[in-house]
Amino acid sequence: MPFINKIFTDEKEEYHTEEEIKSEENTQYSLLKRNVPNNGTDIALLNATAQTLQSSTAEGLSAIEKLKSNMESIAAAAEESSGAAEESLGAIKQIKYSSSSILKMSNESAKAIEKLENSILKAAQKVTESSENMLKIAHSAQEVSVVGERLIHAGKEISQTVNLITKLAKRTSLLALNAAIEATRAKEKGKSFSVMAKEIRALSSKSNNYAQEIKNVVHVIQENVKNVQTTIIETKKTVESASDEAQNNVKSMKTLVKRLIEIVRDVNHSLEEFKMLDDEIVKMQLSAETIASAAEESAGAVSEVTQTISMQATAFDQSNSAAKMLESLAKKIANDSSDEALVNDLASAAEELSSAIEEIENSMNQSMIALSQIEEAANISQDDADKNTFIAKKANEIVKKVKAAVVEINEDIKEIQTAFKGNVASIEKAGISSKENLSNTQEILSEARKIKKSIKYLKKILRKIELTIVQTAALSINGSVEAMRVGELGEGFSVVSNDIRTLAENSEQNLDEVNDIVDNLEDETEGIIESISKMQILGVQEAESLIILSSDMTHNTESIDTNVATFAKLQISLSEIETAFEQSKIAAEQTLTAAQLAHHNANESKTAAEHIQKISQTMAENVSELIEVAASLKDD
């Protein structure tokens, strides 16, 4: 809205000089009336009155023009004030709307953060459960690793015991050779001894071969166990790392959410100060409405004064015409005072002047009332404009303070947004890595099943060794029986048979130890397979749980994104309010300037109006004397 460009001054017309002139004319008129004989006096009075009236009407018309000019300025000021009030109301409407939006956004943000906090707490509980399960998996992996150590140790024990059996087999073979020598010495009676010795040597050879095969199987088992250990230790590390990663990220997210809550609390605290503006905004609105109403009242009063000015100008024009007619009549009557028609015209002119002056007085009284209304409206506008300027300035300071806080908070929340997304990505990565690693436990299961298969094969070989030992023991018994039958020639074979039986018994004892170890090995392997299977199922399940959780947390990330967008909108709304308050301040300043101009012009107009009233009073007095002159001439 443009400012009022009209520049006003405090200069006033020097009406007092014209009054002094008028007073001097009246004085001359009175002297003339006292000093001139009757008929001549009347004519002189008539001329003087006509001249005085012409001077008064000219002065009145000049005052009317001044009044008209002032009314135009006041009308412009009223329009300016009305426009400023309208602009101020528009700005206040924007402020109220933006304020409502800010408080709404703030409340929604607080609710969203509260919801996010609850979601994070639930997520933390899930992660804790998953982490605990993963630690169980890691513990199981550690136990599997320990069992693997026992398996390797058992393999060594088996190898050591088998070595004893091998040594016994070799000694048995040597004894069988001795038995063969004894059989040769016994000649025909030792043929059976020779056959038994040969069978014992064959059995010893088998035992030796079986023992070597056991060593090979044990070596394979140990290699498989080492593979299981290597993979299970890697799995343990991965699972523990995933557990730690998930826990750390959830802790981080909790910290971020707490920080976010603090941020929202800070914003709400800032907005509490902002809420204090509500009463001030209401005051501004009332003041703007009052200014608009005052401008409307002023415009109405200006319209009324403008109408009366038009009437007054017409009345003064009529008075001027009548005054000129009087002057003309005065000349004619001076030439022929007996002309009754001229005297009647003089009386009519006097009546016309009286009517015009009365109209001027009546309309001027109305104008004075309207001018008082204009002055009062200007005073009201000035007061309310002052109030609004002060409120707008104070409010803008608060808005700027809140806006500065929100701008700073916006940067913080963006950092939180980035960090939170990083946490979610880390949880997902930990879940995926853990799942992939635990999926590889299938290889461990394969290795464990190979161990189980090797153990079964090992047990078959052990049964074969057991059979050779039993057979060797049986042959040694038969040899002893046969030696007794032969008598003295079988004494050497009897000793060998007894030694072979002793070796067979020792081998059987060692074999029993190996069988016990292998049975335990088999049980341990079954335990490994069962543990790994459970680890795989539980681990994959928990890894998938982390992946699903990270997906759920992505929605929480979207919630933070929404908060980021909300605070950005909050910043925009505060900028809009800041602009609106600035507009209100400018509008109030425009209103103040317009009100001051209107007040100044109203004062000038009242001075002009008072002068016109005095002129009309003087003219009324002159017309009253004019009527007396007309009556006097008529009587003559």
Side-chain angles (χ1 to χ4, degrees):
M1 183 178 291
F3 285 102
I4 297 175
N5 294 322
K6 180 175 172 81
I7 300 175
F8 57 86
T9 64
D10 292 328
E11 295 179 0
K12 295 184 179 180
E13 294 185 4
E14 297 293 331
Y15 295 120
H16 63 279
T17 303
E18 295 175 0
E19 289 172 4
E20 289 174 358
I21 294 170
K22 187 67 179 177
S23 176
E24 185 178 349
E25 289 177 349
N26 289 337
T27 302
Q28 291 173 353
Y29 169 79
S30 298
L31 289 171
L32 183 61
K33 184 177 179 182
R34 288 195 300 270
N35 298 326
V36 179
N38 285 339
N39 191 41
T41 299
D42 290 339
I43 299 303
L45 283 172
L46 189 59
N47 281 324
T49 301
Q51 290 175 6
T52 301
L53 285 172
Q54 287 184 54
S55 175
S56 294
T57 54
E59 190 177 347
L61 286 170
S62 175
I64 288 293
E65 286 301 316
K66 179 65 177 176
L67 195 58
K68 183 178 179 182
S69 175
N70 285 342
M71 287 305 102
E72 289 174 355
S73 295
I74 292 171
E79 185 178 356
E80 183 80 8
S81 184
S82 177
E86 185 178 347
E87 185 173 340
S88 182
L89 286 170
I92 291 167
K93 184 178 179 181
Q94 176 65 47
I95 291 168
K96 290 174 74 176
Y97 173 78
S98 296
S99 297
S100 176
S101 297
I102 284 172
L103 296 176
K104 183 180 178 182
M105 284 188 285
S106 175
N107 290 332
E108 288 176 353
S109 178
K111 289 178 182 177
I113 297 301
E114 183 180 354
K115 187 177 178 181
L116 176 62
E117 183 183 23
N118 293 332
S119 179
I120 293 297
L121 291 175
K122 290 179 182 178
Q125 182 63 34
K126 288 181 181 178
V127 169
T128 300
E129 292 172 1
S130 293
S131 295
E132 288 174 355
N133 288 330
M134 284 187 164
L135 289 176
K136 289 179 183 177
I137 294 169
H139 181 69
S140 296
Q142 181 63 35
E143 288 182 346
V144 169
S145 179
V146 171
V147 171
E149 288 293 336
R150 291 205 296 268
L151 291 180
I152 291 172
H153 181 69
K156 289 178 181 178
E157 288 182 339
I158 291 170
S159 294
Q160 289 171 359
T161 306
V162 169
N163 284 335
L164 291 175
I165 293 172
T166 302
K167 289 178 181 179
L168 291 172
K170 287 180 179 180
R171 288 177 65 186
T172 301
S173 182
L174 288 172
L175 287 172
L177 181 60
N178 289 334
I181 293 170
E182 288 295 327
T184 302
R185 191 173 59 176
K187 296 182 181 179
E188 189 66 29
K189 289 183 179 181
K191 284 183 179 179
S192 59
F193 295 152
S194 180
V195 173
M196 283 187 287
K198 185 178 180 180
E199 287 180 1
I200 288 171
R201 286 180 68 188
L203 289 172
S204 295
S205 179
K206 279 185 179 180
S207 293
N208 194 45
N209 291 334
Y210 290 148
Q212 188 59 44
E213 194 169 353
I214 287 172
K215 287 181 181 180
N216 294 336
V217 172
V218 168
H219 177 73
V220 171
I221 289 172
Q222 286 180 320
E223 289 300 316
N224 289 335
V225 169
K226 287 178 181 178
N227 291 337
V228 168
Q229 276 190 307
T230 301
T231 308
I232 207 73
I233 288 170
E234 287 298 321
T235 299
K236 175 178 175 289
K237 289 179 180 178
T238 303
V239 169
E240 286 177 337
S241 176
S243 174
D244 291 342
E245 187 76 17
Q247 286 281 30
N248 291 335
N249 278 288
V250 166
K251 286 179 183 177
S252 175
M253 284 192 285
K254 282 183 177 179
T255 302
L256 291 173
V257 171
K258 284 182 180 178
R259 189 177 168 197
L260 198 57
I261 291 169
E262 289 174 1
I263 284 173
V264 172
R265 191 179 296 121
D266 289 343
V267 170
N268 287 336
H269 179 71
S270 296
L271 292 178
E272 284 298 322
E273 190 173 7
F274 185 77
K275 287 178 184 177
M276 294 167 57
L277 295 175
D278 288 349
D279 293 339
E280 303 301 323
I281 291 169
V282 171
K283 290 177 184 177
M284 285 183 71
Q285 184 174 5
L286 291 174
S287 293
E289 289 172 352
T290 302
I291 290 169
S293 177
E296 185 179 353
E297 184 178 346
S298 182
V302 167
S303 177
E304 186 176 345
V305 172
T306 302
Q307 288 178 0
T308 58
I309 285 172
S310 179
M311 294 169 57
Q312 291 162 11
T314 301
F316 273 115
D317 284 336
Q318 291 173 350
S319 298
N320 190 44
S321 298
K324 289 179 180 179
M325 184 184 295
L326 284 173
E327 191 175 13
S328 175
L329 287 172
K331 290 179 182 179
K332 292 178 180 180
I333 292 172
N335 295 329
D336 185 5
S337 59
S338 61
D339 191 339
E340 188 175 345
L342 291 174
V343 174
N344 288 333
D345 288 341
L346 177 63
S348 297
E351 289 296 330
E352 186 177 343
L353 273 169
S354 178
S355 177
I357 291 166
E358 184 178 356
E359 186 175 345
I360 290 170
E361 288 179 338
N362 291 335
S363 63
M364 192 49 62
N365 288 333
Q366 293 175 359
S367 293
M368 288 295 289
I369 294 171
L371 287 170
S372 295
Q373 291 174 344
I374 292 170
E375 192 173 30
E376 180 62 25
N379 287 332
I380 291 171
S381 293
Q382 283 187 77
D383 290 341
D384 285 308
D386 277 333
K387 290 177 186 176
N388 277 6
T389 301
F390 176 77
I391 292 171
K393 185 178 178 181
K394 174 185 173 184
N396 232 358
E397 289 174 357
I398 294 173
V399 172
K400 284 180 179 178
K401 180 180 176 183
V402 174
K403 183 183 172 183
V406 170
V407 169
E408 185 177 348
I409 285 167
N410 263 344
E411 295 303 317
D412 289 342
I413 199 171
K414 284 177 184 176
E415 290 179 7
I416 290 173
Q417 180 188 34
T418 302
F420 198 92
K421 286 181 178 179
N423 291 141
V424 173
S426 293
I427 290 175
E428 182 180 24
K429 184 179 177 182
I432 292 172
S433 175
S434 181
K435 184 179 179 181
E436 288 176 350
N437 188 272
L438 287 163
S439 297
N440 293 334
T441 53
Q442 190 64 38
E443 296 177 8
I444 306 175
L445 277 174
S446 178
E447 292 291 330
R449 290 189 178 109
K450 285 178 183 179
I451 295 170
K452 183 179 179 181
K453 188 176 179 180
S454 295
I455 291 170
K456 286 182 179 179
Y457 180 64
L458 183 61
K459 293 181 79 172
K460 287 181 181 179
I461 298 172
L462 288 171
R463 281 194 293 271
K464 288 179 180 180
I465 290 178
E466 185 179 9
L467 182 59
T468 59
I469 291 171
V470 171
Q471 288 175 344
T472 300
L475 284 172
S476 68
I477 292 170
N478 289 337
S480 296
V481 172
E482 190 65 23
M484 289 175 65
R485 187 179 61 80
V486 174
E488 187 178 347
L489 291 173
E491 287 181 1
F493 195 82
S494 177
V495 172
V496 172
S497 294
N498 288 333
D499 289 342
I500 289 174
R501 187 168 58 254
T502 301
L503 289 174
E505 287 174 355
N506 290 336
S507 294
E508 191 172 4
Q509 288 176 1
N510 289 325
L511 187 63
D512 287 341
E513 290 179 11
V514 171
N515 279 324
D516 288 341
I517 293 170
V518 171
D519 286 341
N520 185 57
L521 189 65
E522 188 176 33
D523 291 340
E524 297 275 29
T525 303
E526 284 292 344
I528 287 175
I529 292 171
E530 185 178 354
S531 294
I532 293 172
S533 296
K534 288 180 179 179
M535 282 169 55
Q536 186 182 42
I537 294 169
L538 182 60
V540 171
Q541 177 183 326
E542 294 306 326
E544 287 179 346
S545 177
L546 284 180
I547 295 169
I548 292 169
L549 181 62
S550 67
S551 178
D552 293 339
M553 296 301 289
T554 301
H555 295 300
N556 292 326
T557 304
E558 291 171 0
S559 175
I560 293 179
D561 292 343
T562 301
N563 273 277
V564 171
T566 297
F567 280 107
K569 290 178 182 176
L570 199 66
Q571 188 174 332
I572 292 170
S573 294
L574 286 168
S575 295
E576 290 174 349
I577 290 176
E578 185 180 8
T579 302
F581 272 123
E582 190 61 35
Q583 289 174 343
S584 296
K585 180 173 171 288
I586 292 170
E589 290 170 349
Q590 291 174 346
T591 300
L592 182 61
T593 302
Q596 288 172 342
L597 176 59
H599 190 272
H600 173 80
N601 286 324
N603 279 333
E604 277 197 349
S605 297
K606 285 180 77 174
T607 302
E610 289 170 355
H611 184 58
I612 291 171
Q613 284 180 322
K614 289 179 181 178
I615 291 172
S616 64
Q617 289 172 2
T618 301
M619 289 175 66
E621 292 172 0
N622 290 335
V623 169
S624 177
E625 292 178 351
L626 182 62
I627 291 170
E628 290 179 8
V629 170
S632 174
L633 289 172
K634 198 170 185 180
D635 291 339
D636 293 340

